Every structure is written in C-alpha cells, then in structure tokens.
Amino acid sequence: MAAKLMVGNWKMNGSLAANASLLSEVLGGMGGVTCRAAVCVPSVYLAQMQSLLAGSAMALGAQDVSAHEDGAYTGEVSATMLRDLAVRYCIVGHSERRQHHGESDLVVASKAQRALAAGITPIVCVGESLAEREAGQTEVVVKRQLAAVIHANGHCISEIVLAYEPVWAIGTGLTATPAQAQQVHAVLRAQLQAATAHAERVSILYGGSMNAANAADLLAQNDVDGGLIGGAALKAPDFLSMLKTASR
Ligand code: PEP
C-alpha cells in the first residue's frame, strides 16, 4: 500500500513573506513524517516555492492549469510552464473553479489530459452539492464527473490522483462522516477498477473541512488514501499534526 498523500491547498492566500514563514515552520517540523506531502500554491508564487522546497520532502503543486497547450489565452498558465517550475501535482476541477469559473466536466477532463501529457499528476476533484446530496444524487454526480476524465484519458487514468470533495463540506466546517466518505470513495474505486487494471495505483483523497481533530478517523477508512486540505493547511501546527497522523 502506498504511503498516504496529504496535500495543502492554499487557495488565494499568501504573500512572499507569509509563504516563507509558513513553509519554514512546516518544513522545520517534518521530522518523523513519512507520508507523501505537497502544497498547491497560487501560480505567482510557484517560483518562490520551487526554491524554498528544493531538497525537501514536500512536493510543489499548482491549483489550476489551462486546458490549452499554448497560444492566445491571455492570463492562462500551461502545463508545460508548470513543469518548467518543477510542479509535481496540479489540482483540476476544484469545486470553486467549477462554480465560479463555469468549468464543465469536459474542460476538467482536458485539463487533466494537459497535466498528464506534461508529466504532472492531476488531482482531479469531484463532489456533490448539498442539494444534490439531499436529492439522492451523490453517486450519479461523482460518477458523471469521473467518467468524463476516464473517457478523455484512457489507460493513463491510473496516473491521476482523485479527490472526493463534497461541495457542502468545503470551507464550511461541515465534514463528511468517515462512513459517508468511505461510501463514496468505494464507489469511485469501483468505477476506476472497471476502467483500468491498475486502479489500486490511484490515491483517492478526501477533502472538505479536514482538520487536526477529524483527520485520523477519515484516514482510517479503507479507501481514503489521504487528504486535500484547505483552511487547516494555512496553520503550520495543524498541517503538521495531520501529516503526522497520516504517517502512522
Ligand atoms: C479545499 O479547498 O480543497 C478544501 C478542502 O478546503 P477546506 O479544507 O477549507 O474545506
């Protein structure tokens, strides 16, 4: 079994000074951490982070990537540009991008494709809204979102990381119960198994108000291979505590 993977999503937070200080506290406390770890930072700080993370056990991640290869796409950042800065992971299809930037399943699938082609592991986010959960549509929604990525990526699908992030749990303080998370993760695992003989290679992360207090119970579930952590990743003691929990 691969080591758990814990990924901090800094979202649109930070500054040169704040990043350096947060990272120095995190890297200084990583003794005994054996899980895989990464931080996904705003793209303007990737170069700073590339140099601060050099030689450390923390991998560098981006929060988005263009669905296009290159050319006249003002404001966008391509997968090969990310690769230039030693980016190892890239979040695609975060619910905040699906919701505020109108990203469709098709666009998310193309972004995953661009990342894979550049040698970057896409962290593909799927998850249902509260209304969809209440309407009993959770499985239908997450399966539809994953199906688009499977369809576009064929046999490369075993190279992705998947994150189940119920939209109602992101940044709200509401967390899926360990049983709710496991149930959806098992559905996603089965869908991957139907698509590839190497489904066991795909780490399925849980994200949505994961914190130092609830991480152990969530990570104890069979199909929860790690976490995608927003708010709690901005506090060094909390993030470190979760990295240590995931290393047990
Ligand atoms: C996220 O941004 O992916 C996330 C899970 O945020 P939070 O942990 O703050 O809910």
Side-chain angles (χ1 to χ4, degrees):
M1 199 177 61
K4 301 246 189 251
L5 172 61
M6 301 294 277
V7 180
N9 173 16
W10 287 5
K11 310 197 191 200
M12 198 172 70
N13 293 292
S15 66
L16 289 173
N19 301 344
S21 144
L22 173 59
L23 206 62
S24 115
E25 201 178 336
V26 170
L27 294 182
M30 278 185 63
V33 169
T34 55
C35 69
R36 294 172 291 155
V39 281
C40 296
V41 306
S43 58
V44 288
Y45 295 129
L46 286 168
Q48 177 202 18
M49 298 299 288
Q50 179 190 15
S51 96
L52 292 178
L53 291 175
S56 81
M58 181 76 70
L60 179 57
Q63 298 176 5
D64 187 30
V65 64
S66 177
H68 305 285
E69 195 169 355
D70 55 24
Y73 299 100
T74 302
E76 300 225 346
V77 175
S78 75
T80 48
M81 291 170 185
L82 296 180
R83 191 65 225 169
D84 258 355
L85 294 176
V87 165
R88 167 97 177 70
Y89 296 100
C90 179
I91 297 172
V92 300
H94 192 282
S95 66
E96 288 154 13
R97 295 214 57 89
R98 291 182 191 260
Q99 195 182 336
H100 304 306
H101 301 271
E103 289 190 8
S104 65
D105 294 341
L106 214 60
V107 166
V108 173
S110 302
K111 290 185 171 198
Q113 213 170 6
R114 290 287 174 217
L116 285 168
I120 293 169
T121 302
I123 300 174
V124 177
C125 299
V126 299
E128 83 287 3
S129 67
L130 186 58
E132 288 163 339
R133 173 161 282 267
E134 287 174 349
Q137 293 297 300
T138 298
E139 286 189 21
V140 173
V141 170
V142 298
K143 285 170 85 171
R144 188 203 71 224
Q145 292 172 332
L146 177 56
V149 182
I150 290 173
H151 182 73
N153 290 280
H155 68 274
C156 293
I157 198 66
S158 60
E159 305 306 316
I160 72 165
V161 165
L162 189 57
Y164 169 53
E165 297 211 308
V167 179
W168 49 270
I170 297 177
T172 58
L174 298 173
T175 315
T177 63
Q180 283 173 325
Q182 169 57 29
Q183 196 213 343
V184 178
H185 282 227
V187 165
L188 296 169
R189 180 86 66 201
Q191 190 176 2
L192 288 166
Q193 275 160 350
T196 169
H198 304 293
E200 80 288 350
R201 282 194 204 152
V202 179
S203 294
I204 309 180
L205 316 184
Y206 168 79
S209 299
M210 193 187 246
N211 58 41
N214 62 28
D217 286 344
L218 287 159
L219 293 170
Q221 301 303 305
N222 267 349
D223 291 298
V224 177
D225 303 317
L228 181 54
I229 303 135
L234 294 170
K235 298 174 209 139
D238 293 34
F239 193 47
L240 280 169
S241 155
M242 298 163 83
L243 293 180
K244 285 174 184 163
T245 299
S247 299
R248 282 188 211 139

